[in-house]
Structures are given as C-alpha cells and as structure tokens.
Amino acid sequence: MALAIKVNEETFTPRQQAVLTAALDLLVENGDGLTMTAVARRASCSKETLYKWFGDRDGLLTATVQWQAAKVRMPYVDRSHLSIKALRGSLEQFARDLLTTIIGEVSITLNRTAITHAAQEKDDLGNIVLENGPMAIRRRLKPILEAARDARLLRFTSSEEAYRTFFGLVVRDVQIRLLLGDKGLTQSNVESNIEADVKIATDQFLALYGAKANN
C-alpha cells in the first residue's frame, strides 16, 4: 500500500483568512502599529471574535505568521512511487514557493519588525516568526528529503544539514539584501529570475546529494 506524505499546513476558515490578510496588510502599512482594535476595524469584525479565535495579540501574530508561511507548501509525494523526476518537481515547487514568499513585502516587513523587537527584547515576535515561519517551513521539506533518502535517490547523514544546504542554494544572499534595503536588488529583479534560480539551485543540490553523484 502506498504511504504518502501529505501537506501539514495550518488551516483557517475563509473568514479567518480574510482577518489574517487584513492583519498582514496592517503590518506592512504600520509595522509595530498592529493592534486587535485596528485589525477588527480593518476586517469588519468584533474584537470579541478576534479574542475567541486567536486568544490575544500574540495568538493573532502567530496565526498571521502561520498563514504567511503556509504559502510555502509541502509537496505531496508517494513513497512507493518516488522517482528522481518527482523529487525534482517537489524540490522545485518548494524552492519556487520559498523565493516568491520571502521576497514579498509582507515577509520583508515581518522579518524587519521581528529583528527590531528581538534586538530590543520588546516582546516574543522574534520567537513567533522564527518558530512559525522558518522552522515550520523547514519541517515541511525534511520529510521529503528523508523519503528520497529511503528511496535511495539522495545520500546524506543529516536531513537538517541537507535542508540547510538546499535553503542556502535557493535563498543565497537575496533575503538579507532585501532586508537591508539593497537598492541594486528589487522584487521585480528577483521575480524575473525565479525560474532560472530554482532550476540552478535544484541542479546544484542534486549534484551534491544525489545518489548517483555519490557513487
């Protein structure tokens, strides 16, 4: 019987999605100015509803980061029919989602705000973004890598090390340059090269960790 790895993403109702989108819009516009009152007003709902759904401001921030990070999907693969073609497709989809998400204004604003808060020890936003953004995204790909190792398509000792290598090949210095406001790098520049960058990163990863490359 086929054993499949399925997407494990946080799920929200359409109404909750609209609220989280409103929260993301407010973060982009105001940064630190995100309040339950402002979100309730923007999303045309009551604060009581927000507290019922998310508990408090930290709960709302957590759900907002989860909603943003869910744009980086975990590919569906079937362990019993995993081929190098299917693996390549999964890696490319993940890389494409990752690049598209991190270069967006929402992710840049979230990360800049979280870094500022962490430096000032202002609140838990840094930990919220770390755990529900990068760490959650990491947990989506590692099972794919491990399934490929079990299928003898990849060779590595640590899936954590393999993931970090793939992440580095995909992201390179793009995220840090955008966070620091590098005028020589724009969202449109990155978007126009995403497909080429995704293919190059996947080729490089498979050259490093592909079973044939290690024979």
Side-chain angles (χ1 to χ4, degrees):
M1 183 175 68
L3 176 61
I5 298 174
K6 297 183 179 179
V7 171
N8 182 20
E9 294 179 348
E10 296 76 17
T11 56
F12 302 99
T13 66
R15 186 67 183 109
Q16 289 170 334
Q17 291 175 19
V19 169
L20 295 175
T21 298
L24 288 171
D25 289 343
L26 284 169
L27 274 171
V28 170
E29 294 169 15
N30 304 317
D32 281 350
L34 184 70
T35 65
M36 300 294 267
T37 299
V39 174
R41 184 180 301 116
R42 176 66 64 92
S44 300
C45 69
S46 67
K47 285 200 294 183
E48 289 75 14
T49 297
L50 294 184
Y51 284 111
K52 178 181 177 181
W53 283 345
F54 307 111
D56 57 15
R57 183 175 179 273
D58 278 358
L60 174 61
L61 283 170
T62 298
T64 300
V65 176
Q66 289 173 342
W67 174 235
Q68 175 69 6
K71 295 175 182 177
V72 183
R73 299 163 292 170
M74 175 177 168
Y76 176 91
V77 298
D78 188 333
R79 284 182 182 267
S80 64
H81 297 92
L82 184 56
S83 64
I84 191 63
K85 180 179 180 180
L87 174 62
R88 177 181 288 278
S90 294
L91 292 173
E92 289 183 352
Q93 175 199 303
F94 184 90
R96 188 179 299 109
D97 286 354
L98 180 61
L99 273 177
T100 302
T101 301
I102 67 170
I103 68 172
E105 192 173 6
V106 169
S107 285
I108 293 171
T109 301
L110 267 176
N111 280 288
R112 283 176 176 165
T113 304
I115 291 168
T116 300
H117 281 216
Q120 299 173 350
E121 298 184 354
K122 194 170 182 179
D123 56 24
D124 290 332
L125 181 59
N127 287 330
I128 288 172
V129 170
L130 179 62
E131 179 59 31
N132 297 280
M135 300 302 289
I137 290 170
R138 178 176 310 193
R139 290 190 290 269
R140 291 186 188 130
L141 185 63
K142 285 173 70 174
I144 304 296
L145 300 179
E146 290 162 2
R149 179 181 59 188
D150 294 344
R152 299 184 179 181
L153 298 175
L154 297 177
R155 283 189 180 180
F156 53 80
T157 303
S158 166
S159 59
E160 176 67 17
E161 177 187 335
Y163 173 82
R164 288 184 179 185
T165 299
F166 186 59
F167 182 90
L169 291 170
V170 173
V171 177
R172 295 162 291 128
D173 63 347
V174 168
Q175 187 174 37
I176 188 63
R177 288 174 65 190
L178 289 172
L179 287 173
L180 294 175
D182 185 348
K183 301 300 183 183
L185 186 69
T186 65
Q187 184 176 355
S188 60
N189 292 151
V190 180
E191 285 178 344
S192 64
N193 292 315
I194 279 182
E195 289 304 320
D197 290 341
V198 162
K199 185 178 185 307
I200 290 170
T202 304
D203 286 345
Q204 291 173 335
F205 180 76
L206 292 175
L208 288 170
Y209 290 100
K212 290 184 178 180
N214 287 278
N215 286 336

